[in-house]
């Protein structure tokens, strides 16, 4: 924990003196950002199936990111993103590293090195609720390449690999070099998005959400469509659909609708896991947001869970702020 706090303390002065780089003839920027979400949770998805209320610290996050213009339209960039995670020993502070990467971008695309989101995560998964979706969201030791809006077509591709010959990131990995990789492609058009992705690990390292097992392959697709948008009235309706196949396990489906009107948002969705030799697990979501400002909102959301003859619910009332 101390080393992460020391790193943040060392980087904070860069935020204050970012403009001084202009005196050195370089165009660079450094931004301090973060978010916090706190509230209460009420539900009966407990071991004793009794309704309980509890305080919920959803997340506390702090990050520093920046860019620097280099020669020939080339840019360097970096991102450090930390989080507070509750530990069993009672330790606190910024003790979790969400992202820590550096890279270069230009007309050739974007090359990123370090801990970051996988190509799977950024391409597949557009439904607004994701309680059940599996897949590895972030990994360290990653080398990732992105090429966006290829020749102005709206298509993009993304590939990444985890260079982990020591098997620290993927324990028990079979390869002496890359032990995980992703490949994804997508299309962004007017009010429409479509994406496909594939995630693979050399051993069963992708945790599933039902059956307490793991898999080594995921394949999936996402669609998102905005059939109605009125910018003058600040109104829009966005529909999304996700599908994943989990090797040796089964299928995941998710659908959502997100209606925004002024400062308010109404969101509804459904998720289902249909695994071999397991009863289907269904979640039905409903949520309402009120935006006090572009950076602060309160949200009331919940879901009803049905798994065979078992059922239950969870409701959350949260306050979110980001900077």
């Amino acid at each position: 924990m101390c080393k992460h706090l020391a790193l943040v303390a060392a980087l904070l002065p860069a935020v204050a003196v970012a403009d001084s780089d202009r005196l050195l003839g370089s165009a660079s920027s450094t931004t301090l950002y973060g978010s916090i979400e706190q509230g209460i949770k009420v539900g009966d998805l407990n071991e004793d199936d009794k309704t309980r209320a509890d305080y919920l610290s959803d997340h506390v996050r702090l990050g520093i990111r920046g860019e620097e213009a280099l020669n020939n339209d080339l840019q360097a960039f970096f991102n450090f993103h930390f989080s507070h995670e509750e530990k069993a020993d009672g330790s606190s502070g910024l003790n979790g590293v969400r992202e820590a990467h550096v890279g270069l971008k230009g007309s050739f695309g974007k090359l990123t090195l370090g801990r970051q989101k996988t190509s799977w995560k950024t391409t597949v998964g557009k439904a607004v609720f994701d309680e059940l979706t599996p897949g590895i969201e972030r990994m360290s030791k990653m080398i990732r390449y992105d090429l966006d809006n290829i020749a102005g077509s709206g298509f993009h591709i993304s590939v990444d690999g985890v260079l982990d010959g020591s098997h620290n990131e993927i324990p028990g990995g079979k390869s002496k070099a890359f032990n995980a990789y992703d490949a994804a492609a997508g299309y962004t058009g007017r009010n429409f998005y479509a994406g496909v992705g594939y995630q693979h690990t050399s051993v069963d390292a992708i945790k599933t959400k039902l059956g307490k097992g793991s898999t080594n392959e995921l394949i999936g697709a996402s669609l998102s469509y905005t059939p109605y948008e009125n910018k003058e009235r600040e109104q829009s309706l966005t529909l999304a659909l996700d599908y994943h196949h989990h090797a040796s396990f089964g299928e995941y489906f998710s659908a959502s609708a997100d209606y925004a009107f002024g400062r308010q948002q109404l969101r509804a969705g459904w998720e289902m896991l249909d695994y071999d030799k397991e009863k289907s697990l269904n979640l039905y979501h409903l949520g309402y947001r009120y935006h006090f400002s572009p950076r602060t909102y309160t949200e009331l959301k919940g879901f009803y869970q049905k798994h065979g003859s078992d059922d239950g619910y969870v409701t959350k009332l949260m306050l979110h702020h980001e900077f």
Side-chain angles (χ1 to χ4, degrees):
M1 177 188 72
C2 293
K3 65 180 182 180
H4 297 325
L5 289 174
L7 180 58
V8 174
L11 289 170
L12 284 176
V15 179
V17 301
D19 287 342
S20 66
D21 287 337
R22 290 179 297 180
L23 300 176
L24 301 176
S26 63
S28 66
S29 65
T30 305
T31 303
L32 177 69
Y33 70 99
S35 65
I36 180 170
E37 186 166 303
Q38 306 286 293
I40 59 174
K41 178 176 71 172
V42 179
D44 64 357
L45 291 178
N46 310 296
E47 292 183 358
D48 56 8
D49 293 328
K50 294 182 179 180
T51 297
R52 299 183 183 277
D54 204 353
Y55 188 88
L56 177 60
S57 177
D58 186 83
H59 69 258
V60 178
R61 298 169 185 161
L62 179 66
I64 302 170
R65 60 185 171 222
E67 294 183 351
E68 181 182 13
L70 306 176
N71 295 327
N72 300 320
D73 295 325
L74 192 64
Q75 285 185 308
F77 62 91
F78 71 89
N79 185 19
F80 299 102
H81 197 191
F82 306 95
S83 65
H84 164 73
E85 297 178 0
E86 297 289 345
K87 301 294 184 180
D89 60 4
S91 61
S92 61
L94 296 174
N95 47 20
V97 180
R98 289 172 60 80
E99 298 193 18
H101 59 253
V102 64
L104 296 172
K105 61 182 179 180
S107 58
F108 70 94
K110 182 169 69 173
L111 179 66
T112 312
L113 310 176
R115 183 170 180 81
Q116 58 189 294
K117 287 184 178 180
T118 61
S119 299
W120 167 272
K121 179 61 179 179
T122 56
T123 306
V124 180
K126 295 303 177 181
V128 296
F129 298 103
D130 59 358
E131 293 284 339
L132 299 180
T133 180
I136 302 176
E137 180 176 348
R138 292 177 175 85
M139 282 189 278
S140 300
K141 298 185 174 183
M142 185 185 294
I143 303 172
R144 174 171 170 169
Y145 172 75
D146 293 87
L147 183 60
D148 296 329
N149 196 23
I150 301 171
S153 64
F155 285 94
H156 69 267
I157 59 171
S158 178
V159 293
D160 65 59
V162 176
L163 188 58
D164 184 34
S166 61
H167 304 157
N168 293 325
E169 188 69 13
I170 306 294
K174 295 181 179 179
S175 171
K176 295 180 180 179
F178 288 95
N179 275 282
Y181 62 85
D182 300 71
Y187 171 77
T188 302
R190 188 176 184 275
N191 298 333
F192 177 78
Y193 173 86
V196 294
Y198 175 75
Q199 186 170 86
H200 175 85
T201 54
S202 63
V203 293
D204 291 344
I206 305 171
K207 301 296 182 182
T208 60
K209 298 294 179 105
L210 184 62
K212 299 180 180 179
S214 302
T215 183
N216 72 328
E217 284 186 315
L218 293 179
I219 187 169
S222 291
L223 295 173
S224 177
Y225 176 56
T226 303
Y228 172 72
E229 185 175 25
N230 188 321
K231 294 183 179 180
E232 292 183 358
R233 296 185 177 182
E234 297 182 324
Q235 294 179 343
S236 65
L237 173 64
T238 300
L239 309 175
L241 178 66
D242 298 333
Y243 165 77
H244 303 163
H245 173 71
H246 309 160
S248 303
F249 279 86
E251 323 299 325
Y252 166 80
F253 301 90
S254 180
S256 69
D258 188 345
Y259 176 58
F261 49 109
R263 293 177 175 265
Q264 303 176 79
Q265 264 183 289
L266 184 62
R267 310 183 330 153
W270 162 75
E271 293 181 275
M272 185 186 75
L273 281 177
D274 184 16
Y275 282 176
D276 292 340
K277 301 179 182 180
E278 293 279 354
K279 297 177 181 178
S280 295
L281 174 60
N282 289 271
L283 263 60
Y284 304 92
H285 298 268
L286 191 63
Y288 169 79
R289 283 183 181 181
Y290 180 80
H291 294 262
F292 297 102
S293 73
R295 297 181 178 274
T296 304
Y297 64 81
T298 186
E299 181 172 26
L300 176 63
K301 61 182 179 180
F303 64 81
Y304 170 73
Q305 175 178 302
K306 183 69 174 176
H307 186 201
S309 60
D310 298 327
D311 62 358
Y313 76 96
V314 171
T315 302
K316 301 176 183 179
L317 178 60
M318 309 300 296
L319 181 63
H320 175 99
H321 176 75
E322 60 188 53
F323 61 91

